[in-house]
């Protein structure tokens, strides 16, 4: 039997090259060997306020991006989280074995809650990792391909699965995070100390997968650099190191080759070539994206939900039996 992988992205903001390199590129490769389930996690997206019209659009758009990136609905199941109500139901049950202190410790929660005044922080934001745990363990997932920033959430998922198993008997597979070299964070173009993020205040922080050629060139031109002018890769030059990482990953060239190529050259040459590489690597992807219709994508998503729902229902029914619910 093939091992199972499960992953998801929130349909909020614009999907960027960090999401692609950190997560989705990896999924495309893994779907060949694993029984793969990929989700558009709309229930997670509403942990911060969303405009309903935009959320609807972004949900379809994100599924389109999965497909354009190479997720094949023949090989993988793709669906929308809210189409399978078992996710929310299991999250509630897992809440009852989760400690508030465990959730307060989560880095993402601290980051996101820190941005707002603590009084106004929604309960959903705090509960985010529990819903994510439910997503994962509902399907007997073995591996969770995510970027490095999500490993803490996979850790708490393991804790909750083990805790449930201990209290109520063997029920859940305990999953592992799967982070590739690319999952090393791609940092923001305007601030290389923060990860590239779709909820960044400025769109000059990220390169979206759907950005036009003109905008990509403009963003790379504006990207901050370090003092000095050499193209060298080191810890104390985080801006240029980040740009070299992007160059290396999208251009498929090693860091040492890039450093050699630009020895004695300045930022302008490097940035202009980097823009070419980004534009060229996104071109085929954007062509596929533009060919997909909303209706086509919605069909694929509904079919995906139909295929995963029985798996979720079966696991949830086992959980209810173990808990002592009358069924
Ligand atoms: P937000 O900043 O709004 O929380 P995000 O850009 O971090 O959004 P997510 O939906 O949280 O996007 O992440 C989707 C996937 O992309 C996750 O697997 C995450 O680990 C990965 N990812 C996100 N940002 C980066 C990044 N800068 N570098 C590498 N991987 C990333
Ligand atoms: N929190 C994840 C999105 C997510 C997820 C999941 C990833 C929700 N549920 C289950 C893997 C498995 C993020 O990338 N921000």
């Amino acid at each position: 039997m093939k091992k199972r992988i499960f992953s998801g992205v929130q349909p909020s903001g614009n999907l960027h090259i960090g999401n692609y390199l950190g997560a989705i590129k990896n999924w495309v490769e893994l779907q060949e060997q694993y029984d793969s389930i990929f989700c558009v996690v709309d229930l997670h997206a509403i942990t911060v306020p969303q405009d309903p019209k935009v959320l609807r659009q972004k949900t379809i758009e994100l599924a389109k991006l999965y497909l354009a990136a190479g997720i094949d609905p023949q090989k993988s199941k793709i669906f929308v989280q809210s189409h399978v109500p078992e996710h929310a139901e299991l999250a509630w049950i897992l809440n009852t074995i989760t400690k508030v202190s465990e959730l307060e410790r989560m880095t993402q929660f601290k980051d996101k809650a820190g941005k707002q005044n603590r009084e106004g922080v929604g309960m959903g934001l705090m509960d985010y990792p529990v819903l994510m745990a439910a997503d994962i363990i509902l399907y007997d997932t073995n591996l969770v391909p995510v970027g490095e920033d999500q490993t803490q959430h996979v850790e708490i998922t393991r804790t909750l699965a083990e805790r449930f198993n201990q209290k109520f008997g063997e029920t859940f597979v305990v999953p592992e995070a799967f982070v590739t070299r690319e999952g090393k964070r791609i940092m923001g173009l305007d601030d290389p100390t923060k990860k590239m993020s779709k909820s960044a205040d400025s769109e000059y922080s990220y390169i979206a997968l759907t950005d036009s050629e003109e905008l990509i060139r403009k963003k790379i031109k504006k990207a901050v650099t370090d003092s000095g002018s050499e193209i060298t890769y080191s810890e104390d030059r985080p801006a240029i190191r980040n740009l070299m990482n992007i160059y290396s990953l999208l251009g498929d060239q090693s860091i040492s080759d890039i450093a050699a190529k630009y020895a004695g050259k300045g930022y302008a040459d490097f940035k202009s070539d980097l823009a070419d590489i980004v534009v060229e690597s996104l071109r085929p992807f954007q062509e596929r994206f533009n060919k997909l219709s909303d209706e086509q994508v919605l069909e694929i998503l509904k079919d995906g939900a139909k295929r995963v729902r029985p798996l979720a229902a079966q696991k949830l029914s086992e959980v209810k039996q173990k808990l002592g619910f009358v069924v």
Side-chain angles (χ1 to χ4, degrees), residues 8-10 16 18-19 22-23 112 146-150 182-186 195-199:
V9 175
Q10 306 179 67
H16 52 71
N19 301 131
K112 296 208 170 178
V146 281
E148 201 178 33
D149 62 308
Q150 293 298 312
E182 287 90 336
K184 296 271 174 261
R185 296 149 185 240
I186 303 295
K195 70 163 195 155
M196 186 176 280
S197 158
K198 39 189 164 67
S199 54

Side-chain angles (χ1 to χ4, degrees), residues 80-132:
V80 179
Q81 190 184 28
S82 65
H83 290 179
V84 180
E86 284 79 4
H87 289 246
E89 215 178 334
L90 180 60
W92 174 258
I93 292 168
L94 293 178
N95 271 331
T96 64
I97 60 161
T98 308
K99 298 171 193 157
V100 171
S101 59
E102 287 172 321
L103 298 178
E104 275 174 340
R105 273 204 293 277
M106 294 288 118
T107 314
Q108 180 179 295
F109 173 69
K110 286 195 282 191
D111 283 353
K112 296 208 170 178
K115 283 189 193 164
Q116 313 168 19
N117 91 47
R118 191 68 183 255
E119 287 286 301
V121 174
M123 192 58 215
L125 205 54
M126 191 172 192
D127 207 29
Y128 185 110
V130 180
L131 178 59
M132 179 160 160

Side-chain angles (χ1 to χ4, degrees), residues 30-83:
L30 294 170
Q31 72 178 339
E32 303 298 332
Q33 307 156 43
Y34 292 91
D35 179 0
S36 308
I37 307 182
F38 302 116
C39 188
V40 177
V41 293
D42 53 354
L43 296 173
H44 277 105
I46 60 164
T47 56
V48 295
Q50 302 291 340
D51 173 342
K53 222 169 85 199
V54 177
L55 181 62
R56 209 165 287 130
Q57 270 167 8
K58 288 281 167 193
T59 300
I60 300 286
E61 183 189 290
L62 181 56
K64 234 184 234 185
L65 290 167
Y66 286 2
L67 296 165
I71 302 296
D72 178 348
Q74 305 293 330
K75 295 179 185 150
S76 304
K77 302 175 188 73
I78 73 170
F79 74 105
V80 179
Q81 190 184 28
S82 65
H83 290 179

